[in-house]
Amino acid sequence: MEAPSMLIQKAMLNGVQNGRNGKGSVFVFASGNGASAGDQCNFDGYTNSIYSITVAAVDYKGMHPYYSEPCAANMIVAYSSGG
């Protein structure tokens, strides 16, 4: 499992608690492009953080692209793949 270093964890917590003059910061990460190799973002400490929003992909037909990593952390999707 890839996890953020302690320094990054502290920076994210500080951003959430103190960013934008106390309004908090928003951290957005892509779920990843490794699904075709069996990867999934459940094992990524950045996308699985309670302080982040994880974005996955859908293609122009509304289908899940072969490369977009599935996981429980995916909160939203955006269009990708195709014209």
Side-chain angles (χ1 to χ4, degrees):
M1 177 158 170
E2 179 186 350
S5 69
M6 187 57 68
L7 181 63
I8 294 174
Q9 290 178 33
K10 288 180 180 181
M12 288 178 72
L13 180 60
N14 181 56
V16 168
Q17 293 176 338
N18 304 309
R20 298 182 313 132
N21 295 318
K23 295 177 184 172
S25 297
V26 177
F27 297 96
V28 179
F29 293 101
S31 65
N33 292 331
S36 63
D39 200 5
Q40 59 163 299
C41 59
N42 280 321
F43 300 104
D44 185 318
Y46 290 87
T47 61
N48 242 336
S49 170
I50 62 171
Y51 304 118
S52 67
I53 296 170
T54 304
V55 182
V58 292
D59 66 16
Y60 69 100
K61 295 180 181 178
M63 304 298 288
H64 188 105
Y66 71 92
Y67 56 82
S68 183
E69 295 180 29
C71 76
N74 285 332
M75 305 239 348
I76 59 175
V77 294
Y79 285 112
S80 180
S81 303

